[in-house]
Amino acid sequence: MSKRKTINRSKSKESNRTGWFLSLKRNWLMFLIIGFLTLGALGSGLKYLEQEAMRQRQADDGGRQAEKDQSFLNKINPFPPAPPASPPPHLSKEYLYAGSRLLSVEDVNANPAPPADLAVWRPSTGTWWVFGGQSFQPVAFQWGTNGDLPAAGDYDGDGKTDLAVFRPSANQWWVFRSSDNTYYSITYGTPGDKPAQADYNGDGKTDMAIFRPSNGSWYILQNDNNQSTQQQFGLSSDIPAPADFDGDGRADLAVFRESNMTFHYLKSSNLQSQTTIFGEAGDKPVPADYDGDGRADIAMWRSRDATWYILQSSDASTSSVQFGIGTDTPVQNDYDGDGKVDIAVWRGLASTSGGDVGKWFIRNSGNPSNIRTETWGIAADIPVPVFYRR
């Protein structure tokens, strides 16, 4: 009996040893991973203790002990420390079309924003003439025909203005993309519509849009999804003047109503309508960001006395500047690259003194006493100043 128990006990031990071996054989990968993790955790813990001790020694001896004291633990740790976080990309500037002008949003270390180019469209030949300053080679490009309306904008989102026209006779838009030098055309609108292109959805691309006086409605063809939206805002006699008045990077629907001298805009940020008594009958709305706060200011050009009236969004103050003559065309934009729109006019008709046809007069916001004058264009040209540089 005792001998049988001894034999059974021996068989049981043999069976246990065999079962353990078979289990190890079948699950060798799992045991290997467990061992690997255990070794890694042990290595990480020991490395932490070593680094803590080294920091303490460095603190005790004034930092004289260097990295040479590190041991082989760095080599056996299977979980190397994560690389330091990469800083976010340092963008010098980002371009957004907001309302009627190209915004340049800069970081604190960016180069100055690019100044707007002087440009005209010549209806007689359908030619664009672009001048970007003394270091820029002037460009002439035929795009459009007589009867078209220039409808420049950044339709491809590359930060440069695309040559574009709206053809009222066929309700067609023709766009020549600066990004790849290709073109396309879209039929959008009905007879009597007024082009009002701008970036209404904040994607950095200009959307084709029209204001329809017959029903006081806006129709916007969104560039990102080719979906058309409609919004009733305005009366048949209103003058469309879209711009980004709430500073959210999207153009707001806006109109100037001469009948009661009021300016109306619909904030894209909260769809709240804002009404301001401003201007007189005969004024031309010229909204833009004159004070550099990132929001368009309500502004009027009064040809009767050649005066600019600006309601600054930054402090709600009103300023007036006499600049130009009554037959000039207002061409406000940021010509000195300081982030503020400059008061400017283009003279397409001869003044009483003569000799000024096709001349630009720009009052730099950075130095108002320094009036820039450039001759670019001829009589009957249509000025279209924005950022075209390729």
Side-chain angles (χ1 to χ4, degrees), residues 17-252:
R17 285 194 296 268
T18 303
W20 179 87
F21 177 76
L22 290 176
S23 177
L24 177 63
K25 184 177 180 181
R26 293 193 189 101
N27 301 287
W28 66 272
L29 181 60
M30 182 182 69
F31 284 112
L32 180 62
I33 293 174
I34 292 174
F36 188 71
L37 292 175
T38 302
L39 181 62
L42 177 61
S44 297
L46 293 175
K47 181 180 178 182
Y48 171 79
L49 294 175
E50 180 196 37
Q51 290 178 337
E52 183 65 24
M54 185 176 65
R55 283 193 293 268
Q56 185 61 44
R57 288 197 304 271
Q58 289 175 341
D60 293 340
D61 64 6
R64 290 185 296 271
Q65 193 69 22
E67 293 293 328
K68 64 182 180 180
D69 291 333
Q70 292 185 8
S71 73
F72 71 99
L73 293 174
N74 287 320
K75 301 178 182 179
I76 68 171
N77 183 7
F79 303 107
S86 300
H90 188 71
L91 301 177
S92 62
K93 60 182 79 71
E94 178 182 2
Y95 300 110
L96 298 175
Y97 237 98
S100 58
R101 80 179 190 92
L102 185 70
L103 293 178
S104 177
V105 183
E106 301 185 37
D107 63 39
V108 293
N109 297 315
N111 294 324
D117 300 320
L118 311 185
V120 295
W121 184 70
R122 190 159 297 166
S124 60
T125 59
T127 304
W128 298 72
W129 297 83
V130 181
F131 176 66
Q134 300 300 324
S135 61
F136 176 73
Q137 184 67 32
V139 172
F141 191 85
Q142 201 283 328
W143 188 252
T145 62
N146 202 354
D148 292 347
L149 298 174
D154 185 9
Y155 295 92
D156 54 8
D158 66 346
K160 302 172 186 176
T161 301
D162 306 310
L163 307 180
V165 294
F166 173 67
R167 189 161 296 166
S169 60
N171 302 308
Q172 289 179 330
W173 299 72
W174 292 83
V175 179
F176 189 86
R177 286 183 287 238
S178 59
S179 57
D180 56 10
N181 293 328
T182 62
Y183 70 90
Y184 64 96
S185 67
I186 293 178
T187 300
Y188 192 70
T190 61
D193 290 347
K194 297 180 179 180
Q197 72 278 2
D199 181 9
Y200 292 93
N201 57 8
D203 66 348
K205 301 178 182 180
T206 300
D207 305 308
M208 295 178 183
I210 51 95
F211 173 70
R212 187 164 295 167
S214 60
N215 60 6
S217 292
W218 297 69
Y219 296 84
I220 301 170
L221 182 61
Q222 296 179 349
N223 206 323
D224 58 344
N225 56 19
N226 289 323
Q227 297 297 311
S228 181
T229 62
Q230 176 187 358
Q231 176 71 51
Q232 201 287 324
F233 191 78
L235 303 177
S236 60
S237 59
D238 290 346
I239 301 174
D244 183 12
F245 296 95
D246 54 7
D248 67 346
R250 296 175 290 174
D252 306 314

